[in-house]
Amino acid sequence: MAPARDPAALGAFLKARRAQLSPADFGLPGTDGHRKVAGLRREEVAQIAAISVDYYTRLEQGRVQASASVLATLARALRLDEDQQRYLYELAGKTDARPRRRRPPQRVRPAMTRLLDQLTQTPAIVLGKRMDILAWNAAAAALYTDFAHVPPQRRNYIRLLFTDPLIRGMHRQWDHDARDAVAALRMEAAADPDDLELAHLVGELSVQDADFRTWWAEHRVNTASYGTKDYRHHLVGDLTLDCDTWTSPDGSGQRLMVLTAEPGSPSHDALRILASWTAGQPDGDRDPTQDRNSPRRPAT
């Protein structure tokens, strides 16, 4: 362990760092008549880091020493680069023992691609780590939205569920579905606590949405592997669909989310109508940054 440092120096660094961060980076409004600081407030940093405001305040005031786990949380919340993280640990007199590893980009498995290509009347989405949307078919685009028009860095199922008005509004049982999604994300956080991108996602949504912040703090977990979802589509009306999520057996963390309806039901007929409108368009639409030979499909 490094020798102990002056707690006041650590507090000064934390204060300076939060002043450097733009509220817009976390979905917050910019400086206005109610915001006295250009950067983040103490309360906002505490929310993003999932620690109490009182504890964070005492850290900045140099009245308490931070543990290594709290330092790791603050490093993620304040989006520190490698040099800044090293400096943070030096100031606190702690050793950063976390392994440093480069995370490879997520790629759609060929088997998942083939499944998407073959599901012509069934909405299907390939979800990666953090519920990132890696690929989708034409039926999923017709049901939800044309994901090809969503910036890749925003193409995340739980982010869209909370922040996209169209997708949020089409869930007739939004509270139920969103809470289940938060619980599933909790499972991922437990499996990979050093995932910096997941920490950024949690911090962003915690600041933007009070429901997410409350549900995340509940520590409720589930796999959300199956269930029923009620939608209200702007073209075909109400649908009740069975949602099943199949996990890839190769340990990649990729999952195939498939939405089906009882044959002969109004929801089944609605899916057939949506499929007929996308007939003749390329199947298996996916992120063109992953497969540059993939045909692009016009918006539905």
Side-chain angles (χ1 to χ4, degrees), residues 14 55 94 104 125 148 168 216 250 279 286:
L14 293 175
Y55 182 76
K94 303 290 184 182
I125 297 173
R168 180 169 179 148
W216 184 258
D250 68 346
R286 54 192 65 89

Side-chain angles (χ1 to χ4, degrees), residues 114-294:
R114 289 193 295 271
L115 279 172
L116 285 179
D117 291 342
Q118 294 169 20
L119 295 172
T120 58
Q121 295 190 358
T122 302
I125 297 173
V126 177
L127 299 174
K129 292 182 179 299
R130 303 171 295 274
M131 299 189 191
D132 289 341
I133 298 173
L134 304 183
W136 57 94
N137 62 7
L143 176 64
Y144 287 106
T145 189
D146 190 351
F147 296 110
H149 291 169
V150 179
Q153 67 273 18
R154 305 289 301 173
R155 206 178 288 155
N156 174 277
Y157 179 80
I158 196 166
R159 177 183 281 116
L160 295 176
L161 187 60
F162 275 87
T163 66
D164 185 278
L166 175 64
I167 292 179
R168 180 169 179 148
M170 69 179 289
H171 286 76
R172 286 190 286 151
Q173 303 293 332
W174 181 85
D175 285 6
H176 174 273
D177 296 344
R179 194 173 185 182
D180 275 353
V182 172
L185 193 66
R186 259 290 178 193
M187 290 284 290
E188 291 205 33
D192 193 358
D194 292 326
D195 187 341
L196 184 60
E197 292 185 45
L198 190 149
H200 287 174
L201 175 65
V202 171
E204 172 193 329
L205 295 178
S206 294
V207 171
Q208 290 187 39
D209 194 281
D211 286 328
F212 181 92
R213 185 164 62 249
T214 298
W215 296 334
W216 184 258
E218 289 176 349
H219 289 261
R220 177 173 171 262
V221 295
N222 68 30
T223 57
S225 56
Y226 67 93
T228 301
K229 294 187 182 296
D230 296 314
Y231 297 110
R232 175 159 293 133
H233 195 274
H234 67 288
L235 293 177
V236 296
D238 291 351
L239 303 92
T240 297
L241 304 177
D242 291 321
C243 180
D244 292 273
T245 304
W246 310 93
T247 301
S248 174
D250 68 346
S252 65
Q254 293 184 16
R255 289 157 292 166
L256 181 68
M257 187 176 80
V258 180
L259 295 152
T260 59
E262 182 72 23
S265 67
S267 296
H268 186 259
D269 293 339
L271 285 183
R272 292 180 63 185
I273 292 171
L274 287 176
S276 70
W277 288 338
T278 61
Q281 297 177 1
D283 292 332
D285 205 354
R286 54 192 65 89
D287 186 351
T289 64
Q290 296 190 29
D291 181 0
R292 298 190 181 279
N293 294 321
S294 298

Side-chain angles (χ1 to χ4, degrees), residues 13 17 20 75-76 78-89 96 98 100 196 200:
F13 176 66
R17 177 55 185 164
Q20 295 167 358
R76 292 192 295 265
L78 295 172
R79 302 187 178 182
L80 303 183
D81 61 25
E82 291 293 324
D83 291 339
Q84 290 169 328
Q85 290 185 52
R86 191 157 42 247
Y87 183 63
L88 176 72
Y89 281 86
D96 182 6
R98 294 176 303 151
R100 301 293 182 186
L196 184 60
H200 287 174

